[in-house]
Amino acid sequence: MPVYSALDVAEQQDYGAEFPGVYPYTRGPYASMYTGRPWTIRQYAGFSTAEESNAFFKKGLAAGQQGVSVAFDLPTHRGYDSDHARVSGDVGMAGVAVDSVEDMKLLFDGIPLDKMSVSMTMNGAVLPVLAMFVVAAEEQGVAPAALQGTIQNDILKEFMVRNTYIYGPHPSMRIVGDIFAYSAANLPRFHPISISGYHMQEAGATPALELAFTLADGLEYIRCAEQAGLTVDQIAPRLSFFFAVGMDFFGEIAKLRAARRLWARLVKEKFDPKDDKSLVLRTHCQTSGYSLTAQEPYNNIIRTTVEAMAAVMGGTQSLHTNSFDEAIALPTDFSAKLARNTQLILAEETGITKVADPLGGSFYVEALTSQMEEAAERVIREVEHLGGMTEAIIGGLPKLKVEECAARQQAHIDSGKQVIVGVNKYAQHDAEGEGPQHDVDARKIDNTAVLHNQKERLKRVRASRDGAAVQAALAALEAEAHSGKREHNLLQLAVEAARLRATVGEITHALEKAWGRYEAGGGMATGIYNTALGSSSQAELEAVGRAVARFEAEAGRRPRILIAKMGQDGHDRGAKVMATGLADLGFDVDIGPLFMTPEEVARHAVDADVHIVGVSSQAAGHGTLVPELLQELRRQGMGHVLVVCGGIIPKQDQPALRDAGVAAFYGPGTRVPAAALDIIGMLLEEPDLARSG
């Protein structure tokens, strides 16, 4: 109902009477909250070379940023050196390329690691990257005990949504446990994990599902630490969390309040800690990337401000605000400054820091907090019944639930049930039906130059080191992984290898020889999209049905599309949503495995005898990979296949891709039925089919 009263909270404990800093911490983890010190202002950044990213960090720190948050490129995430044959199009494109300690030293040159908090988003290749950070600090004169910050190290989330895993779930959890143990002994001020729900919501999860899976992951990581020989009181106070904050303003505030309360209760019930600090959930937040639109991009400034306010009202400990142009390309210096200033204005001008939990006691917020808590706990019980999150992931439950949510949300957007201003409501169009064109600068990375730079540096590193010592260190890592025992700590062995200048790829490969490289299964959440569209889209659904029938009558079979992800980009929400939607609309849909090369995509297209290849790109590798795919298709006799691209492809990149042979682009905000009609129109050589349909 639209009005809430005391009746809506009458049967609940009077949580509004609690104080911040007091169990169960609903109103905040600290008594003073922001009155003594505001949240930490972070900007997640990294691109091109270590030198360029270092310069970007220094600008941000000079302008009021209070911590460094590092984005690594996809080859680094996936444990490949920059000169590996599979990664040429991804080097330096969606993060900074780091191959060795020498790159890490350049990345933090002039940034005092004994004074600066450093957050690193790294999961799959967490061992070599954290090892290189420790060694780079040592060579800067900073002891491990002085380092402060966080490494994400949340591999469970990778298997659910983000997909930058390397090894299977069980060996990956062994790595997590060894990092916990090494950190407890050597890195007392450093958080050895950031348990991330952010990527779950970005992949489609509702706030309640994000909350449930994040806390279920947290419980699993405490058990992992216990298996590594630590007690709950040794690890729980050092856990940090990371949540997305989307446009559901009150829902996101309630989620953060419910997260603290539910976590405190679950840890107390399941692990019986003796230290109250073990019950306290501390979190970083980031405004939503998915809520940003390529259409009317300046609207994103308002969206990010609203989301940042929700994070602060919900009691976050640190915050990253996304730049308004991130649905178009990597942020520019200007857009990053504007995003950072959003936080500075909230902290310095609004008075928002003067009171803790300002919405505490609101009938609506308190009722919503309890509803969020109850919904999340139901899902957590389901996961625990399966044996915990590792076993649930192996069984496929979390990934399926997230993909169902994503398909449902896309249907609600396509039908107009969920309003996106400037996209599906109040959208402006020119005479040709195109959306408004804005002269938004986009950061352009010269992939060729970065790749050359990294290859040259790798050559110098390999030529100057003691090769025999490196091989011995790598053999020790492989032997420990093969043994299946915990005789040596894997992070300690990785640190020793990194000191000798073993590379990210070499350390990764040493473990890969023992554990192999994990490949996730495919599948689609079919039937969800059509059901969620509802009767309001019936006429459009009938138009698509007629178009599919016409094509089938002419071609003898339904239109067949291969949805492909090339390079090392594991973000597959767009690909999965489009695949699900097109399948529900009558297309035959093949989804290729992640991390394909152009040659592998072309071969798959031949084997499946498709009419269309749809390439999904979110990590800027399209400029190199898509032309290579078109060449491969022609080489393999499939030059007639229609190639379309979806995802984040800046307008300035599109003319070259069209010249190479791309037929159409479907960026963020594309409605699935409109894309379906458009594609069939091109196949039938009737370009007006989408409009006439």
Side-chain angles (χ1 to χ4, degrees):
M1 67 178 187
V3 178
Y4 283 70
S5 70
L7 294 175
D8 294 292
V9 295
E11 295 181 0
Q12 304 163 11
Q13 181 180 336
D14 187 8
Y15 289 114
E18 297 167 357
F19 292 95
V22 177
Y23 178 88
Y25 308 102
T26 311
R27 306 197 64 189
Y30 305 114
S32 59
M33 285 306 291
Y34 306 136
T35 59
R37 182 171 69 91
W39 63 92
T40 300
I41 297 173
R42 290 189 177 276
Q43 288 299 103
Y44 177 55
F47 54 88
S48 186
T49 61
E51 296 95 328
E52 286 198 56
S53 292
N54 174 266
F56 189 85
F57 291 154
K58 286 177 177 175
K59 284 182 185 178
L61 293 170
Q65 182 179 317
Q66 296 159 341
V68 173
S69 296
V70 184
F72 296 95
D73 74 353
L74 290 167
T76 307
H77 272 289
R78 294 269 293 145
Y80 292 113
D81 288 333
S82 296
D83 57 358
H84 195 284
R86 296 192 72 87
V87 303
S88 58
D90 289 312
V91 175
M93 297 302 286
V96 59
V98 170
D99 293 316
S100 75
V101 169
E102 296 305 315
D103 290 324
M104 194 70 80
K105 288 168 68 176
L106 287 170
L107 185 62
F108 294 107
D109 182 50
I111 296 174
L113 294 177
D114 55 342
K115 298 180 176 65
M116 182 59 56
S117 174
V118 175
S119 172
M120 294 181 286
T121 299
M122 178 51 61
N123 301 281
V126 64
L127 273 179
V129 168
L130 182 53
M132 288 171 189
F133 177 68
V134 170
V135 175
E138 287 178 351
E139 297 185 9
Q140 193 187 86
V142 178
L147 293 173
Q148 54 186 316
T150 306
I151 190 142
Q152 195 165 96
N153 192 28
D154 178 9
I155 199 63
L156 293 174
K157 162 263 303 170
E158 298 297 323
F159 292 109
M160 282 187 252
V161 290
R162 192 163 171 262
N163 300 311
T164 61
Y165 45 72
I166 299 174
Y167 318 109
H170 288 301
S172 294
M173 289 297 279
R174 159 72 196 275
I175 291 173
V176 172
D178 278 15
I179 290 173
F180 287 166
Y182 181 93
S183 299
N186 301 282
L187 303 170
R189 303 177 66 195
F190 198 83
H191 293 282
I193 193 167
S194 174
I195 304 163
S196 175
Y198 181 85
H199 305 91
M200 299 175 199
Q201 188 171 146
E202 289 291 281
T206 63
L209 192 63
E210 175 200 8
L211 172 57
F213 284 161
T214 306
L215 297 193
D217 282 354
L219 299 176
E220 189 81 335
Y221 287 128
I222 292 179
R223 287 190 282 262
C224 174
E226 289 180 333
Q227 291 170 6
L230 303 177
T231 67
V232 62
D233 288 327
Q234 285 178 294
I235 190 61
R238 306 181 67 221
L239 301 179
S240 65
F241 289 80
F242 173 23
F243 287 103
V245 180
M247 286 298 288
D248 181 3
F249 184 75
F250 290 107
E252 295 291 5
I253 293 168
K255 179 185 75 182
L256 296 179
R257 299 174 89 250
R260 289 189 292 269
R261 187 158 87 205
L262 183 54
W263 178 252
R265 182 162 57 78
L266 288 172
V267 172
K268 189 172 186 177
E269 291 173 358
K270 290 180 177 291
F271 301 101
D272 190 27
K274 304 301 183 284
D275 185 350
D276 285 347
K277 292 180 181 178
S278 296
L279 306 175
V280 180
L281 181 147
R282 305 163 194 82
T283 191
H284 169 72
C285 288
Q286 181 174 337
T287 59
S288 172
Y290 180 74
S291 70
L292 305 180
T293 65
Q295 303 89 335
E296 308 251 15
Y298 295 115
N299 288 351
N300 297 333
I301 300 170
I302 295 97
R303 292 186 178 103
T304 293
T305 303
V306 170
E307 291 165 353
M309 288 181 64
V312 173
M313 293 283 196
T316 190
Q317 279 61 72
S318 68
L319 179 62
H320 165 91
T321 34
N322 285 347
S323 301
F324 73 86
D325 52 358
E326 289 187 43
I328 298 170
L330 290 170
T332 62
D333 287 1
F334 169 74
S335 65
K337 177 183 177 182
L338 197 60
R340 186 168 52 248
N341 285 350
T342 301
Q343 293 196 54
L344 292 171
I345 290 167
L346 287 176
E348 302 288 348
E349 297 188 23
T350 65
I352 207 168
T353 61
K354 293 180 179 178
V355 60
D357 190 28
L359 296 181
S362 155
F363 296 135
Y364 178 50
V365 170
E366 295 296 349
L368 200 55
T369 299
S370 293
Q371 291 165 18
M372 192 74 69
E373 178 185 17
E374 291 163 7
E377 190 167 11
R378 284 195 297 271
V379 176
I380 291 170
R381 283 199 299 267
E382 184 177 1
V383 170
E384 292 288 281
H385 178 72
L386 294 172
M389 188 54 88
T390 304
E391 298 307 318
I393 284 169
I394 291 170
L397 173 76
K399 181 179 279 289
L400 179 62
K401 281 186 177 290
V402 172
E403 289 176 1
E404 287 176 350
C405 288
R408 192 173 294 111
Q409 184 181 35
Q410 186 65 44
H412 289 166
I413 292 170
D414 286 354
S415 67
K417 293 177 186 175
Q418 180 175 332
V419 173
I420 310 292
V421 172
V423 176
N424 64 2
K425 194 172 186 179
Y426 311 116
Q428 300 176 18
H429 297 283
D430 60 23
E432 282 72 42
E434 296 290 333
Q437 304 297 305
H438 293 278
D439 294 325
V440 176
D441 291 334
R443 186 182 294 279
K444 182 76 173 177
I445 304 298
D446 186 346
N447 169 244
T448 303
V450 179
L451 184 61
H452 175 76
N453 180 81
Q454 292 303 118
K455 285 183 174 181
E456 288 301 308
R457 188 173 294 152
L458 274 166
K459 286 180 184 177
R460 293 194 297 271
V461 166
R462 289 173 180 148
S464 62
R465 68 191 185 180
D466 182 340
V470 170
Q471 291 306 312
L474 295 173
L477 269 165
E478 182 185 351
E480 178 62 24
H482 265 303
S483 74
K485 303 174 184 177
R486 264 199 165 99
E487 295 178 356
H488 304 282
N489 185 285
L490 289 171
L491 180 52
Q492 180 61 54
L493 294 175
V495 167
E496 292 166 7
R499 282 198 191 102
L500 296 167
R501 294 317 190 254
T503 66
V504 166
E506 290 166 341
I507 292 172
T508 300
H509 186 61
L511 299 174
E512 188 181 340
K513 286 193 285 186
W515 292 335
R517 206 170 254 273
Y518 181 76
E519 293 185 15
M524 289 184 291
T526 55
I528 303 293
Y529 179 83
N530 255 9
T531 303
L533 265 181
S535 58
S536 62
S537 301
Q538 191 59 39
E540 190 172 36
L541 290 176
E542 290 173 357
V544 176
R546 289 194 298 271
V548 169
R550 284 176 57 192
F551 181 87
E552 187 173 9
E554 290 194 18
R557 58 192 176 107
R558 294 186 298 174
R560 187 170 185 85
I561 185 170
L562 167 62
I563 304 290
K565 294 283 296 183
M566 290 190 292
Q568 300 304 304
D569 175 21
H571 294 90
D572 62 350
R573 173 179 182 157
K576 285 292 183 72
V577 162
M578 187 61 74
T580 297
L582 291 175
D584 282 3
L585 293 175
F587 281 60
D588 283 333
V589 178
D590 267 29
I591 301 182
L594 291 170
F595 315 124
M596 299 178 83
T597 65
E599 183 180 8
E600 288 166 347
V601 173
R603 193 180 312 127
H604 192 137
V606 171
D607 293 343
D609 192 19
V610 301
H611 304 102
I612 319 110
V613 174
V615 177
S616 175
S617 175
Q618 190 176 334
H622 49 265
T624 301
L625 297 170
V626 173
E628 289 180 9
L629 169 63
L630 288 156
Q631 290 177 4
E632 276 296 327
L633 286 169
R634 288 190 284 269
R635 192 181 69 79
Q636 297 192 32
M638 296 288 282
H640 61 281
V641 167
L642 194 72
V643 175
V644 299
C645 290
I648 298 177
I649 300 179
K651 283 193 176 294
Q652 62 263 36
D653 292 358
Q654 294 179 15
L657 293 175
R658 281 195 185 277
D659 289 345
V662 174
F665 299 92
Y666 303 108
T670 298
R671 300 177 63 258
V672 178
L677 286 169
D678 194 42
I679 288 168
I680 296 175
M682 288 186 286
L683 291 173
L684 293 172
E685 297 184 350
E686 295 184 25
D688 292 330
L689 179 61
R691 289 180 195 168
S692 64

